[in-house]
Amino acid sequence: VRAALEADRSKARAAKKGIVNGPSNETSFASVTETDAGKEEDVSLRPESPGRRRREILEQVRKEDDDRRMEGLRKVVQRAQKKRDDEFYSAYKKLKEEEATFVSKVDTYLKNKDGAAKQRRRGLHAEWTECVFNKIQDQLLDRIDNMKETEIQAKRRELFQNYIDAASRKGGGLFLDIVIENEYDPFSWKKDTLRY
């Protein structure tokens, strides 16, 4: 294109000086056309203007430059799109991998946490059994071992008999939620309970 532009410039210089190289370089071979006045004239005899040829070449150069720019822009856009797609697929793949292992990781974590809580409860229970329950149980067993079975049965029979007597003295019945101590005390058994 640039070579054609240079050739046109040299032709234009030659046309200005009056040098004609021949019909193939300086004239166009167009058919006979009709002018506005209705006269026919042979356009092939008219020399082509150097400015017009130059404009056509410049327009062609601009068009080629625009095409190159557009192609460059298309490539830039394609690269950017490919980069975005690659980033998306990379993030999607990472998400899928995490999704596949996430449930198992959470399950393992929860099992470990549950196991640790059970172990802690077992340790607390063992400590409570040793430090609290066994001491109280030993004291109670010592007192019960000192009591005789006949003594316990006699006390129980006495409490039952007191209830029966109080119920028969009261004509309308005996209510345990209303306590009148001079008639019947339902809580008299508490003074004989074991304390540690």
Side-chain angles (χ1 to χ4, degrees), residues 20-70:
V20 177
N21 290 334
S24 63
N25 288 337
E26 299 230 354
T27 58
S28 66
F29 294 100
S31 63
V32 175
T33 60
E34 196 170 283
T35 61
D36 291 337
K39 299 177 187 174
E40 288 185 9
E41 84 180 58
D42 191 1
V43 181
S44 63
L45 298 177
R46 217 180 333 157
E48 188 176 286
S49 71
R52 182 174 175 208
R53 177 73 179 146
R54 185 172 181 212
R55 274 182 266 142
E56 288 174 358
I57 292 172
L58 286 175
E59 190 175 314
Q60 187 177 1
V61 168
R62 271 190 240 124
K63 185 178 178 186
E64 288 174 1
D65 285 345
D66 287 345
D67 289 344
R68 274 194 306 256
R69 277 193 222 110
M70 288 303 289

Side-chain angles (χ1 to χ4, degrees), residues 26-160:
E26 299 230 354
T27 58
S28 66
F29 294 100
S31 63
V32 175
T33 60
E34 196 170 283
T35 61
D36 291 337
K39 299 177 187 174
E40 288 185 9
E41 84 180 58
D42 191 1
V43 181
S44 63
L45 298 177
R46 217 180 333 157
E48 188 176 286
S49 71
R52 182 174 175 208
R53 177 73 179 146
R54 185 172 181 212
R55 274 182 266 142
E56 288 174 358
I57 292 172
L58 286 175
E59 190 175 314
Q60 187 177 1
V61 168
R62 271 190 240 124
K63 185 178 178 186
E64 288 174 1
D65 285 345
D66 287 345
D67 289 344
R68 274 194 306 256
R69 277 193 222 110
M70 288 303 289
E71 186 62 31
L73 284 174
R74 275 190 215 105
K75 287 180 182 179
V76 167
V77 168
Q78 285 175 348
R79 280 194 299 262
Q81 181 66 35
K82 185 175 184 314
K83 183 179 178 184
R84 281 195 306 267
D85 288 347
D86 290 346
E87 288 173 357
F88 172 77
Y89 287 123
S90 173
Y92 182 73
K93 183 180 176 184
K94 194 175 188 181
L95 179 68
K96 281 297 190 183
E97 288 173 359
E98 188 165 328
E99 180 183 344
T101 60
F102 179 74
V103 173
S104 62
K105 285 180 182 178
V106 169
D107 190 38
T108 303
Y109 170 76
L110 291 175
K111 283 181 183 177
N112 290 341
K113 189 174 181 180
D114 190 40
K118 283 181 183 178
Q119 188 174 3
R120 196 173 328 121
R121 283 194 301 266
R122 278 191 221 113
L124 284 172
H125 183 264
E127 186 178 346
W128 178 84
T129 301
E130 184 182 326
C131 296
V132 178
F133 177 76
N134 287 341
K135 289 183 178 181
I136 295 171
Q137 185 71 11
D138 289 344
Q139 290 175 7
L140 292 176
L141 288 176
D142 286 344
R143 287 192 183 163
I144 289 174
D145 287 342
N146 291 338
M147 297 174 76
K148 296 181 178 153
E149 189 177 339
T150 55
E151 200 178 294
I152 295 171
Q153 288 176 356
K155 186 64 179 166
R156 187 180 301 144
R157 275 196 298 271
E158 180 185 342
L159 289 171
F160 288 152

